[in-house]
Amino acid sequence: MSTTQSDRLRALLEPLVSAEGLDLEDIEVSRAGRRRQLRIVVDSDEGVELDACAELSRAVSEKLDETDAMGEGEYVLEVSSPGADRPLSERRHYVRATGRLAKLTLNDATELVARILAVDDEGLDLEVPGVKGRKPTARRVAFADIAKARVEIEFNRKDKKEEEA
């Protein structure tokens, strides 16, 4: 998708997304056979429910029908939330992932898997799991030191409610 079209779509759709109390995370236009596919990814601090995606999809569809932002050809519209293992690239992503395990690649190419404990304007407070029976350790990482990060999916983590029972 051209930068011009991306910017135009973002400017057109961001007010609709914000009106629903959501953040516009990504816009992607791709080819799906003869048709194009417009994928809009939204999120919020509370997560995104299916009903919110459906409601936003209707509003976006109406808005796009009123304009020529997608041109004359057919397209498929998809409104979704980011996946569970989404990349973390903005401060708000880290805030939403507080309490979750994340895999960070630092600027020096080292990798770190740790639980996000707290987030402030400069970086993250992490808990690095202990290895071979050792206790977890605390670590501070500045945003400037993170090349990329992604939430790690945990299948065997007990919920805090389960631990208290």
Side-chain angles (χ1 to χ4, degrees):
M1 170 170 65
S2 70
T3 305
T4 307
Q5 185 182 24
S6 175
D7 294 342
R8 186 172 177 202
L9 284 169
R10 185 170 286 279
L12 182 69
L13 301 178
E14 194 125 42
L16 288 174
V17 174
S18 295
E20 297 294 328
L22 302 170
D23 295 317
L24 181 58
E25 295 294 342
D26 194 23
I27 296 175
E28 178 184 311
V29 177
S30 60
R31 282 265 169 221
R34 286 189 241 161
R35 296 182 191 165
R36 290 171 296 152
Q37 181 174 9
L38 171 59
R39 183 167 190 249
I40 300 168
V41 180
V42 296
D43 201 6
S44 79
D45 290 343
E46 295 79 35
V48 182
E49 295 195 6
L50 186 58
D51 290 343
C53 285
E55 190 173 317
L56 181 60
S57 179
R58 284 188 288 276
V60 166
S61 181
E62 287 176 19
K63 185 60 130 179
L64 291 173
D65 288 346
E66 294 170 6
T67 69
D68 66 345
M70 287 300 293
E72 294 297 317
E74 293 182 18
Y75 65 92
V76 175
L77 173 63
E78 176 185 324
V79 177
S80 65
S81 62
D85 63 343
R86 66 178 165 245
L88 306 173
S89 58
E90 299 195 29
R91 182 185 179 278
R92 71 175 180 262
H93 300 160
Y94 292 98
V95 170
R96 292 174 185 157
T98 299
R100 308 269 318 262
L101 201 60
K103 181 177 184 178
L104 292 85
T105 303
L106 304 180
N107 291 332
D108 64 3
T110 59
E111 289 187 346
L112 173 67
V113 176
R115 190 164 310 283
I116 301 172
L117 299 179
V119 181
D120 59 32
D121 290 337
E122 286 79 42
L124 312 169
D125 290 326
L126 304 170
E127 178 184 75
V128 181
V131 179
K132 295 183 182 178
R134 294 187 180 155
K135 291 187 177 192
T137 56
R139 180 160 178 192
R140 174 83 180 164
V141 175
F143 288 125
D145 296 335
I146 302 172
K148 65 181 182 176
R150 181 175 298 275
V151 170
E152 289 283 285
I153 297 175
E154 296 178 85
F155 293 105
N156 59 354
R157 181 173 185 217
K158 291 183 181 176
D159 190 6
K160 287 189 183 248
K161 291 179 184 175
E162 289 178 27
E163 291 175 2
E164 292 171 1

